[in-house]
Amino acid sequence: MKPQLAQQAKTVGDVAPGPFASFVRFVVCGGGIGVLSSGAVALLADAMPWAVANAVITVASTVLCTELHALFTFGTGKRAGWRQHWQSAGSATAAYAVTSLAVLILHLVQSSPGMLTEQVVYLSASGLAGTGRFLVLRLFVFAGGRSGGQDQDRKQGQDRNRDRVFARKTAGARRRVVSVPTRLPNRVLTPAAFAVGS
């Protein structure tokens, strides 16, 4: 009985979160790493061109975020594979283009904007791009992991039903009717049927 309870508990834990819960997790993971990334980009931009610093931080943060999104945000129950990393990189490239374009436009409008202004523009563009990324990741990149988990739950349910049917059949097969002659001294009576269970 204990293995079935453990298996049921595991199945309940593997259920993928709904859209709202996924979005909250996406904001916490992606937003938290995004805020850290914006600070890292600002620090690296002192040593190299801003676009290069943004590219380096975007690559590092995308790899980290993809792993977190696979395990936590979308509840696939496993680490991201190469396909998810490449697809996530595609959506991150689009986000990189949006943030770079926003900061480029800011620098065209103001020749030397302050760090605070630059951060506001960068984070606003990141928020817009992040919303688009969430939709792409949920609907395309990690959609197979969620349905795969549901398929696995369905398969486990079918396996349990098959096990129950097999148990009923084997229990029925163990009971057999045996015909045993009844003997009295010097006389044989008609056979009597006795149900014998094992």
Side-chain angles (χ1 to χ4, degrees), residues 78-104:
K78 59 186 177 190
R79 293 185 61 186
W82 285 106
R83 181 186 65 81
Q84 284 96 359
H85 275 290
W86 282 111
Q87 289 174 332
S88 182
S91 66
T93 301
Y96 168 75
V98 168
T99 55
S100 293
L101 183 64
V103 172
L104 178 66

Side-chain angles (χ1 to χ4, degrees), residues 14 25 28-29 36 48 55 57 61 69 74 84 87 103 106 110 117 124-125 140 143-144 146 148-149 166 172 185 190:
D14 289 344
R25 292 177 180 193
V28 169
C29 291
L36 293 174
M48 61 185 71
I57 296 302
S61 64
H69 292 327
F74 300 108
Q84 284 96 359
Q87 289 174 332
V103 172
L106 172 66
Q110 291 184 359
T117 305
S124 299
F140 301 106
R146 285 194 317 276
F166 179 74
T190 58

Side-chain angles (χ1 to χ4, degrees), residues 7-157:
Q7 187 178 24
Q8 287 174 353
K10 182 181 175 197
T11 301
V12 169
D14 289 344
V15 173
F20 181 74
S22 290
F23 185 73
V24 169
R25 292 177 180 193
F26 180 83
V27 169
V28 169
C29 291
I33 290 176
V35 169
L36 293 174
S37 295
S38 76
V41 168
L43 291 174
L44 275 180
D46 288 338
M48 61 185 71
W50 189 90
V52 175
N54 190 21
V56 169
I57 296 302
T58 299
V59 169
S61 64
T62 299
V63 170
L64 179 59
C65 278
T66 301
E67 290 294 332
L68 287 174
H69 292 327
L71 294 170
F72 179 69
T73 303
F74 300 108
T76 63
K78 59 186 177 190
R79 293 185 61 186
W82 285 106
R83 181 186 65 81
Q84 284 96 359
H85 275 290
W86 282 111
Q87 289 174 332
S88 182
S91 66
T93 301
Y96 168 75
V98 168
T99 55
S100 293
L101 183 64
V103 172
L104 178 66
I105 291 171
L106 172 66
H107 282 275
L108 290 175
V109 172
Q110 291 184 359
S111 58
S112 58
M115 184 183 238
L116 180 62
T117 305
E118 194 172 79
Q119 288 299 298
V120 167
V121 170
Y122 176 80
L123 290 174
S124 299
S126 290
L128 179 65
T131 303
R133 277 197 79 210
F134 170 76
L135 294 172
V136 169
L137 293 175
R138 177 159 178 87
L139 298 175
F140 301 106
V141 178
F142 294 108
R146 285 194 317 276
S147 66
Q150 292 167 355
D151 290 343
Q152 183 179 5
D153 291 346
R154 193 178 306 116
K155 184 180 181 306
Q156 287 176 349

